């Protein structure tokens, strides 16, 4: 089972493209938006009283997109997981298995391994090109996205029969989550946009990104980490129960 799942990853062109996509997106998006931050940094402010100038650490466009794009693509692993499981169902391998749960778990674990490869590769590229270094704690928070991603993809694959339906459902959910989390626009812009500053918390990626941002600035607060941990555990448990019921009874109801 493991070799078959691993062979599917090695032979899939989409896996290679997705591996470097966080770096490529960060490269282009940060280059096009750094001027936005610089413009506000250089704007003169006239006030009647004394001005206190902030001299602490700040996040540039490269740092913001490095975090948001990497978390976004790690969540995108859900698409590949779902397609891998659905492919086996279409080939009727699923119907001949004596232990579907073990087969399903192997696919989840191999895609978690692939996600760790994406995380490691892009962390190295960020160091070489942008001189952005993530701590072990930050990498651990990034890695915590993977169980949620593979469970979401696997659960969807157990509930639908058509490849197009799976792709549409998972891609729509991940793209919306990525947009609200800052993958397509600067987090600083979303924070200062009416309604979006609240709506963006509908995405779990917003929570994980804020934890990593605060770690990067050495400003982490305990409640941020707790909020992400509770959200991760709640969503993962719900998806895990849904997968278990679907595998055992053929229904999530």
């Amino acid at each position: 089972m493991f070799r078959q799942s691993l062979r599917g990853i090695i032979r899939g062109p989409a896996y290679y493209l997705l591996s470097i996509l966080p770096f490529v997106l960060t490269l282009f998006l940060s280059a096009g938006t750094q001027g936005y931050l610089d413009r506000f940094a250089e704007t003169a402010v006239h006030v009647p009283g004394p001005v206190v100038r902030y001299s602490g650490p700040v996040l540039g466009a490269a740092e913001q997109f490095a975090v948001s794009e990497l978390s976004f693509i790690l969540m995108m692993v859900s698409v590949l997981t779902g397609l891998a499981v659905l492919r086996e169902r279409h080939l009727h391998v699923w119907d001949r298995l004596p232990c579907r749960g073990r087969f399903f778990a192997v696919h989840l674990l191999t895609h978690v391994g692939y996600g760790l490869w994406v995380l490691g590769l892009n962390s190295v590229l960020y160091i070489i090109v942008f001189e952005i270094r993530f701590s072990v704690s930050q990498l651990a928070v990034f890695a915590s996205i993977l169980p949620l991603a593979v469970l979401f993809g696997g659960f969807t694959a157990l509930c639908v029969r058509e490849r197009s339906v799976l792709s549409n459902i998972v891609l729509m959910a991940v793209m919306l989550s990525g947009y609200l989390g800052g993958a397509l626009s600067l987090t600083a812009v979303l924070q200062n946009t009416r309604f979006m500053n609240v709506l963006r918390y509908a995405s779990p990626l917003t929570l994980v990104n804020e934890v990593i941002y605060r770690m990067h600035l050495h400003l982490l607060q305990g409640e941020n980490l707790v909020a992400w941990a509770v959200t991760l555990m709640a969503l993962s448990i719900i998806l895990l129960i849904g997968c278990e019921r679907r595998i055992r009874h053929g229904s999530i109801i």
Side-chain angles (χ1 to χ4, degrees):
M1 293 182 187
F2 175 76
R3 290 182 179 179
Q4 181 182 357
S5 181
L6 186 61
R7 192 180 300 116
I9 292 177
I10 294 174
R11 294 180 178 178
Y15 290 91
Y16 295 97
L17 175 62
L18 210 65
S19 294
I20 61 169
L21 198 54
F23 167 74
V24 174
L25 290 174
T26 300
L27 184 65
F28 285 100
L29 291 175
S30 63
T33 54
Q34 182 60 48
Y36 176 88
L37 297 178
D38 294 339
R39 183 181 63 185
F40 283 93
E42 296 172 359
T43 300
V45 179
H46 301 284
V47 295
V51 176
V52 179
R53 191 176 185 85
Y54 175 73
S55 59
V58 295
L59 288 172
E63 287 85 358
Q64 291 188 43
F65 279 120
V67 173
S68 60
E69 298 304 335
L70 186 49
S71 65
F72 171 55
I73 297 303
L74 290 177
M75 195 67 195
M76 192 70 76
V77 174
S78 59
V79 181
L80 301 178
T81 307
L83 291 175
V85 174
L86 190 62
R87 181 175 62 249
E88 302 297 341
R89 291 185 63 195
H90 282 174
L91 295 174
H92 300 290
V93 175
W94 183 261
D95 300 325
R96 301 192 300 269
L97 290 171
C99 183
R100 295 179 178 179
R102 182 182 301 175
F103 172 82
F104 184 72
V106 166
H107 272 293
L108 297 190
L109 290 175
T110 52
H111 282 82
V112 167
Y114 167 74
L116 293 175
W117 154 254
V118 173
L119 176 59
L121 173 63
N122 285 275
S123 297
V124 172
L125 292 175
Y126 286 158
I127 293 174
I128 296 173
V129 178
F130 301 109
E131 297 184 355
I132 299 174
R133 289 174 170 80
F134 295 127
S135 66
V136 175
S137 298
Q138 287 174 295
L139 293 175
V141 176
F142 272 123
S144 67
I145 300 171
L146 292 170
L148 178 62
V150 297
L151 282 171
F152 177 55
F155 173 72
T156 308
L158 294 176
C159 296
V160 302
R161 295 183 180 275
E162 299 296 330
R163 179 188 177 99
S164 59
V165 175
L166 181 142
S167 299
N168 289 338
I169 292 175
V170 179
L171 274 176
M172 181 178 66
V174 174
M175 289 294 291
L176 179 60
S177 182
Y179 171 69
L180 296 176
L184 304 178
S185 180
L186 282 170
T187 302
V189 175
L190 296 176
Q191 287 176 333
N192 292 285
T193 303
R194 190 178 182 183
F195 300 123
M196 286 300 297
N197 60 341
V198 176
L199 184 60
R200 67 194 188 93
Y201 284 100
S203 166
L205 294 184
T206 297
L207 297 174
V208 70
N209 290 347
E210 287 199 350
V211 169
I212 298 172
Y213 289 149
R214 290 180 179 274
M215 283 182 172
H216 199 72
L217 297 174
H218 306 289
L219 298 173
L220 180 64
Q221 297 176 351
E223 55 265 29
N224 298 102
L225 193 56
V226 170
W228 165 242
V230 170
T231 301
L232 173 66
M233 290 179 61
L235 293 176
S236 297
I237 290 173
I238 292 172
L239 290 171
L240 190 59
I241 292 174
C243 290
E244 190 274 336
R245 292 184 63 85
R246 183 66 179 175
I247 291 172
R248 179 176 296 184
H249 305 294
S251 173
I252 62 172
I253 300 177

